[in-house]
Amino acid sequence: MPDLNLSAVIGLPDGAVRYFDTIGSTNDAALEWLTAGAPELALVIADQQTSGRGRLGRKWITRPGSAVAASLILHPTDAESAHLPLFSPLAGLALCETLEEDYHLAPQIKWPNDVLLEGKKTCGILAEASWSGNKCQGLVIGIGINIARDSVPPDSEVLFPATCLEAHTSLVVERYALLAGWLKAFQRRRGQLGSPEFITAWKNRLAFLHREVKIVQSKGEEIVGTLENVLENGDLVLRDALDQNHYFQAGDVHLRPL
Ligand code: BT5
């Protein structure tokens, strides 16, 4: 356990933060806490994850002492529930704004929400909702950020080139200060979810816009085309060589530059 009051450092009320030296996955712990009645803006943090999860059953590697692994618990309002797919872009956008403002970096977003530095992935986001019928009971936003060089998995373990913050800045990156900055930026943008301002801010940071990319669908099917646009609901528009538009939702595809 770190020798400080994490709730106060991160700017959350007492009792809103649970810290683990080692855990399977902070998202799993957050989903359990949500079911047991976690408050709005509760946060689970771990120094190391032994079975960190990516999207679609992929793995996320969090080595001790080198990274941020955290899961934020939210109780979206009815109005926000209409924009649930935009919460993970919101988390990516908020991290970009923190990195720009506090660390003078120039991050980009690989649709829908990976944060890249100089074309390499430094952060992954996994949003998971808990449902009762068709009503969203709560949302968990998991964020993994590579900080120190030790956090970067070897090339053989990643599908896309990986990096860490310390490879791009000489400033000291203190992980709880980074989390506090992310949370502040997240809350600042949250009120704009689904608005044209929000989509524009997200789109302005989109990597590979108007470039040729390949979309790999969950069943392995590939489509090549130009990354034309993103829509208000977060869907991606790809234009193929025959000028046909294809629409993709964030959940079921991978994006690769060509
Ligand atoms: C993601 O999935 O990028 C979402 C990652 C979310 C991780 C956080 S950590 C806190 C919370 N608790 C969890 O259990 N998860 C969340 P996806 O887009 O599917 O990317 C997964 C892929 O990223 C893997 O298949 C690897 O290729 C690559 N990868 C794994 N660990 C990485 C790392 N530390 N840095 C960069 N790439 C990594």
Side-chain angles (χ1 to χ4, degrees):
M1 180 74 192
D3 190 18
L4 33 88
N5 178 346
L6 276 187
S7 305
V9 171
I10 295 169
L12 291 172
D14 272 351
V17 176
R18 289 186 179 172
Y19 171 87
F20 298 85
D21 282 329
T22 301
I23 200 169
S25 152
T26 55
N27 262 37
D28 289 345
L31 286 165
E32 273 169 35
W33 191 5
L34 177 62
T35 308
E40 165 72 3
L41 292 179
L43 190 69
V44 177
I45 304 175
D47 183 48
Q48 177 183 19
Q49 294 188 114
T50 52
S51 39
R53 295 191 283 112
R55 296 175 304 141
L56 301 169
R58 293 188 287 263
K59 287 186 181 153
W60 183 262
I61 298 165
T62 310
R63 298 213 177 102
S66 63
V68 166
S71 298
L72 179 66
I73 298 170
L74 304 173
H75 294 279
T77 62
D78 286 345
E80 288 176 337
S81 292
H83 303 292
L84 285 185
L86 292 176
F87 270 94
S88 48
L90 166 64
L93 172 60
L95 184 66
C96 285
E97 294 187 324
T98 311
L99 296 180
E100 290 160 8
E101 287 160 24
D102 297 347
Y103 303 93
H104 317 298
L105 291 167
Q108 283 195 302
I109 296 174
K110 180 164 86 69
W111 179 88
N113 49 41
D114 289 344
V115 177
L116 309 182
L117 287 170
E118 296 179 32
K120 296 181 177 181
K121 179 164 169 173
T122 194
C123 162
I125 289 159
L126 175 66
E128 296 180 297
S130 160
W131 296 92
S132 166
N134 57 7
K135 178 146 176 53
C136 174
Q137 296 297 306
L139 199 59
V140 167
I141 314 273
I143 183 162
I145 312 168
N146 298 335
I147 297 182
R149 288 175 199 266
D150 273 359
S151 64
V152 182
D155 289 351
S156 58
E157 289 186 46
V158 293
L159 298 166
F160 189 86
T163 189
C164 64
L165 299 185
E166 288 184 0
H168 302 267
T169 177
S170 53
L171 295 174
V172 173
V173 183
E174 201 287 305
R175 61 180 148 172
Y176 303 118
L178 177 67
L179 263 178
W182 172 69
L183 202 58
K184 230 197 246 167
F186 184 95
Q187 288 294 86
R188 202 167 57 207
R189 279 282 180 201
R190 185 173 170 182
Q192 297 180 338
L193 205 66
S195 69
E197 292 94 314
F198 173 82
I199 297 292
T200 303
W202 179 49
K203 192 168 150 182
N204 282 344
R205 291 167 176 84
L206 215 54
F208 317 121
L209 193 60
H210 308 307
R211 297 248 309 269
E212 189 106 17
V213 296
K214 179 168 74 179
I215 296 284
V216 186
Q217 292 175 284
S218 53
K219 290 185 187 125
E221 192 190 328
E222 297 182 356
I223 303 185
V224 171
T226 305
L227 200 172
E228 194 66 19
N229 203 357
V230 284
L231 304 181
E232 279 167 27
N233 62 1
D235 287 2
L236 177 144
V237 186
L238 187 84
R239 178 162 300 173
D240 70 16
L242 301 172
D243 265 354
Q244 299 259 5
N245 281 345
H246 301 259
Y247 298 86
F248 297 95
Q249 288 180 329
D252 29 66
V253 295
H254 285 270
L255 183 149
R256 302 267 174 278
L258 274 189

